[in-house]
Amino acid sequence: MNPGYNKLSFQFYMGIRDDFCEDFDNPAVWAVIHNSTAFRFDYTVTEPKLDLYKLPSSLIDPSPILNNRINLVLPDKPSVSEINAAALVSAKLGQIADWNKLELEVFSLDQLSITQPLGNIIYIGNAKSLLSSVEDIIPDYSTSSTEELTFKNLDGTLIEKDSGVFWLQTSSFDSKSIAMTITGASPLGLQKAAEAFATTSVFDRLSGRMGIVVDTPASDKVEKSINKLVYSLDDLGYKNIVAEGNRQQSVFLNLPLQMAFDSLGEAALHLIYSHSAIENAKNSYMDVSVNSVPVKRIALNSHDSENTSVVINIPLKLFKLGDNTVEITSNIQADISNIQSTLYCTEDYYSNSWLTINPDSSFTFPSGTSQLSANLSGFPQNLISASSLTDLALIIPDTVDWAAISTTIITANRIGRVAEGDQLFLKVFSASDQSSERFERSYQILIGLPSNNAAIKDLNDLLPVSFDTEGVKPKFPDSMAAVYSSSGKFGFIESILTEAGKFQLILTANSQESLEWVSKVIDNPEIYKNFTGNLQVISGENETASFTIPGAMIDKAIQDSESTQVSGNQLLQKPDWVVILTAAILFISLTVITVAWINKRR
């Protein structure tokens, strides 16, 4: 077994006649491998390698049978800068995880010592804040007469105060997992460490247990917008894929998606392939299917045998959330005229016919939504316009509780899964922060209870569901029945578009427990793929309902200036021919009506 993908082939040499190679197309000859077939692996988890090189990518195992667990740990009373650092770290972990499984938990230092979880741990905080831990989680340091803390390098020399620090050791609670500390002796040092963690290329230049961050680059205000999603086979873990067979060659690809489509639009498969010599060009072809639905048949001949490239359009409706099976099957047959044996279909001749799929082959999906829509469908893609999240702000209460902290960090992780930049620049602000940087960011997520978050209170009259003056009791609009469960607890995901053209996503609730429901919904693609309208009412961990409250959206928010709309996290694209056909029908109808009116006047 090799790391990554492994190919298993079953070959049945069967037939009714003595010359069983002639029974290749005989329907009376068949074999079934039942889905109850299972693998048993006896394995030993090795001790972790304490090396910063290639972190944090090495924290996410791409195997679908493993559950990646990472515990983010903050001080008991984290500052806004510490929460911001944790959000950056979380977003980067989400970007690296992409479609892979990742179970992310958020703890305070006190909660961690009680829970003692398994899995990798990342401690995030200013050095002095982390000193309260019962565990030894920061590197060696010295203190001055004024109690200022300064870290020491491994050789004992002092590290500059405003530098960021990475530190690796084995987890105290799980000997097979690592504990990483992201810290700084000053708030600026912590900021540098978090920004460095959120930069993919940084860890290619680090090694050993300790890393020092002297400086990080500022964000580039002019950056590309995301308008498509591209997955190469190499990105998905595939290398050159070779299929062999006497009469048929089959390649099966798994394409995991974090989105679902219901659309007239199309994805594009840019397929690069090579194949062996063709005996019968008239009857040689390659079929492509998605989730058992045929998509395209491509004729094969001797002229296209090396690194041939073809683009195959695939209807978006064929794809589903989660794993998608793409099958590529060819019927290449080698020349058997010179083979003396009648058993030309046996293993000795199996490799004479082959098909190779190049790992540079890729899938391209349309992405992005109308920038004039406050619709929740399309989450989280509808919160991305800048690839490095430079225009995204998360607004938290001035006095923040752990429900809001956890929701902030989990939301950052989910949004990070659709980001593309080498370095990520989302930022957390307190509700009282009136800096120009906060208001320059076009996409804002407000998190917390209305009674705690003044920024949510300021928007109260614009919300689809507003709250009473105490910010506790929800006030449902007249278009909705005012019903309450016995607990009276609700979570809400609401969206508005301000007159200034800023998208505001409000993650709120009337209790800390129901705010935790919101974070679980935000982190569950099976639920958020069905988001529609501008309001989600959450009455339990997995219980949601969608509503559209017309009066809550600015008029221009519901006007699509593009021929692309989004509904239920499902991209609805109107092809040009639909627009042209509609215009033609209207023109013909008006012409007929005009002629009839003229004839009547005569």
Side-chain angles (χ1 to χ4, degrees):
M1 303 293 285
N2 299 316
Y5 287 96
N6 291 268
K7 179 181 178 181
L8 175 67
S9 299
F10 294 93
Q11 300 175 20
F12 295 87
Y13 298 103
M14 303 168 59
I16 296 174
R17 292 174 285 189
D18 291 338
D19 186 5
F20 61 79
C21 285
E22 296 300 318
D23 285 325
F24 175 76
D25 293 325
N26 191 336
V29 179
W30 54 269
V32 175
I33 299 174
H34 292 282
N35 58 8
S36 57
T37 304
F39 290 96
R40 176 181 173 181
F41 293 100
D42 294 320
Y43 64 92
T44 302
V45 179
T46 59
E47 297 288 339
K49 185 178 180 180
L50 300 181
D51 191 348
L52 288 168
Y53 182 68
K54 291 298 184 183
L55 276 179
S57 299
S58 59
L59 298 175
I60 311 293
D61 194 305
S63 172
I65 63 175
L66 292 179
N67 186 30
N68 296 297
R69 181 186 175 98
I70 298 179
N71 306 289
L72 298 186
V73 184
L74 282 77
D76 295 326
K77 295 181 179 180
S79 63
V80 175
S81 62
E82 288 170 325
I83 298 171
N84 178 67
L88 276 171
V89 170
S90 179
K92 195 62 181 183
L93 290 172
Q95 184 188 35
I96 294 167
D98 194 11
W99 50 268
N100 293 297
K101 295 178 181 177
L102 174 60
E103 182 181 344
L104 190 72
E105 296 288 342
V106 181
F107 295 96
S108 68
L109 287 171
D110 280 348
Q111 292 169 338
L112 183 77
S113 61
I114 297 171
T115 308
Q116 299 187 1
L118 300 177
N120 296 311
I121 296 175
I122 301 180
Y123 297 99
I124 305 166
N126 294 313
K128 286 187 176 181
S129 300
L130 296 179
L131 285 175
S132 61
S133 170
V134 295
E135 308 294 331
D136 186 13
I137 60 174
I138 62 174
D140 193 17
Y141 62 92
S142 66
T143 53
S144 66
S145 57
T146 58
E147 297 186 353
E148 284 193 358
L149 184 150
T150 305
F151 284 116
K152 293 181 179 179
N153 207 332
L154 295 180
D155 60 5
T157 58
L158 297 180
I159 297 172
E160 183 182 344
K161 178 184 175 183
D162 288 334
S163 294
V165 174
F166 298 136
W167 175 247
L168 282 183
Q169 53 190 337
T170 303
S171 170
S172 303
F173 313 117
D174 183 357
S175 62
K176 307 299 183 182
S177 300
I178 68 165
M180 180 180 188
T181 302
I182 300 174
T183 187
S186 68
L188 179 57
L190 173 61
Q191 177 183 334
K192 290 178 180 178
E195 290 174 351
F197 186 96
T199 307
T200 304
S201 56
V202 161
F203 289 88
D204 293 339
R205 293 176 283 150
L206 293 176
S207 63
R209 297 180 59 190
M210 190 174 193
I212 301 168
V213 183
V214 178
D215 201 5
T216 55
S219 64
D220 183 3
K221 294 297 183 181
V222 180
E223 59 172 324
K224 67 173 183 176
S225 295
I226 297 177
N227 53 20
K228 64 180 181 179
L229 300 174
V230 180
Y231 298 91
S232 72
L233 298 189
D234 187 60
D235 292 336
L236 296 172
Y238 293 100
K239 303 307 176 186
N240 278 314
I241 309 164
V242 180
E244 299 174 335
N246 303 92
R247 305 254 185 151
Q248 180 175 295
Q249 305 78 34
S250 294
V251 170
F252 293 89
L253 304 173
N254 181 48
L255 176 62
L257 292 175
Q258 288 286 342
M259 68 203 82
F261 300 100
D262 184 9
S263 169
L264 296 174
E266 295 177 327
L269 167 58
H270 179 207
L271 186 63
I272 306 171
Y273 63 92
S274 302
H275 59 78
S276 58
I278 298 291
E279 178 189 6
N280 185 354
K282 289 185 178 179
N283 297 311
S284 297
Y285 51 82
M286 177 172 63
D287 288 332
V288 178
S289 65
V290 175
N291 293 325
S292 301
V293 179
V295 172
K296 182 77 172 179
R297 171 165 288 186
I298 301 166
L300 300 177
N301 55 65
S302 299
H303 303 295
D304 65 359
S305 61
E306 294 185 8
N307 289 324
T308 301
S309 176
V310 63
V311 176
I312 302 168
N313 293 324
I314 305 173
L316 289 173
K317 293 181 70 172
L318 297 184
F319 294 98
K320 60 182 181 180
L321 186 73
D323 293 331
N324 293 267
T325 300
V326 179
E327 180 180 356
I328 303 170
T329 302
S330 59
N331 67 339
I332 303 168
Q333 299 178 30
D335 185 358
I336 61 173
S337 59
N338 296 324
I339 299 177
Q340 300 299 320
S341 171
T342 59
L343 301 181
Y344 53 82
C345 65
T346 55
E347 186 175 4
D348 292 339
Y349 308 100
Y350 190 76
S351 60
N352 287 6
S353 301
W354 50 266
L355 172 70
T356 299
I357 305 299
N358 191 300
D360 290 332
S361 301
S362 61
F363 295 88
T364 300
F365 293 89
S367 178
T369 66
S370 168
Q371 300 304 307
L372 295 176
S373 175
N375 202 312
L376 286 168
S377 26
F379 177 87
Q381 280 85 0
N382 60 355
L383 291 172
I384 304 293
S385 71
S387 59
S388 294
L389 309 181
T390 53
D391 54 359
L392 179 62
L394 290 83
I395 316 299
I396 61 174
D398 292 338
T399 305
V400 66
D401 54 70
W402 274 99
I405 293 171
S406 178
T407 302
T408 301
I409 293 172
I410 289 173
T411 301
N413 181 264
R414 182 52 57 181
I415 292 173
R417 288 176 181 257
V418 294
E420 290 185 359
D422 174 73
Q423 185 176 0
L424 302 184
F425 291 97
L426 64 77
K427 190 165 183 179
V428 177
F429 298 87
S430 66
S432 61
D433 190 322
Q434 299 298 310
S435 65
S436 59
E437 183 184 3
R438 169 190 163 183
F439 294 102
E440 286 172 356
R441 296 190 175 227
S442 301
Y443 294 82
Q444 304 205 351
I445 304 178
L446 284 59
I447 301 169
L449 307 186
S451 55
N452 293 344
N453 193 326
I456 297 178
K457 274 188 177 181
D458 291 342
L459 294 175
N460 191 51
D461 293 339
L462 298 175
L463 298 180
V465 170
S466 57
F467 292 81
D468 61 12
T469 53
E470 286 76 29
V472 176
K473 186 177 180 180
K475 297 165 62 177
F476 291 98
D478 295 338
S479 58
M480 292 178 61
V483 294
Y484 298 86
S485 60
S486 58
S487 68
K489 296 177 180 178
F490 287 104
F492 299 96
I493 301 174
E494 310 186 55
S495 62
I496 63 172
L497 193 74
T498 69
E499 292 181 348
K502 296 185 185 301
F503 183 92
Q504 307 265 5
L505 180 69
I506 296 90
L507 308 180
T508 189
N510 62 351
S511 72
Q512 289 193 12
E513 181 184 0
S514 48
L515 186 59
E516 292 174 355
W517 299 344
V518 172
S519 68
K520 291 179 180 178
V521 167
I522 284 292
D523 198 39
N524 190 337
E526 290 291 342
I527 296 178
Y528 68 62
K529 72 175 184 178
N530 296 314
F531 281 4
T532 60
N534 57 349
L535 171 65
Q536 295 290 315
V537 179
I538 303 166
S539 54
E541 288 189 3
N542 300 302
E543 300 159 6
T544 67
S546 297
F547 299 92
T548 299
I549 310 301
M553 285 191 281
I554 306 301
D555 289 340
K556 68 174 180 178
I558 56 176
Q559 297 173 353
D560 267 326
S561 64
E562 304 172 2
S563 60
T564 300
Q565 295 179 344
V566 171
S567 177
N569 196 29
Q570 298 159 357
L571 196 64
L572 299 176
Q573 292 185 331
K574 297 177 181 176
D576 292 340
W577 67 266
V578 174
V579 178
I580 295 170
L581 179 60
T582 302
I585 292 172
L586 287 173
F587 176 77
I588 293 170
S589 300
L590 288 172
T591 302
V592 171
I593 292 171
T594 303
V595 171
W597 179 80
I598 293 172
N599 290 335
K600 185 177 179 181
R601 290 289 301 268
R602 289 177 178 175

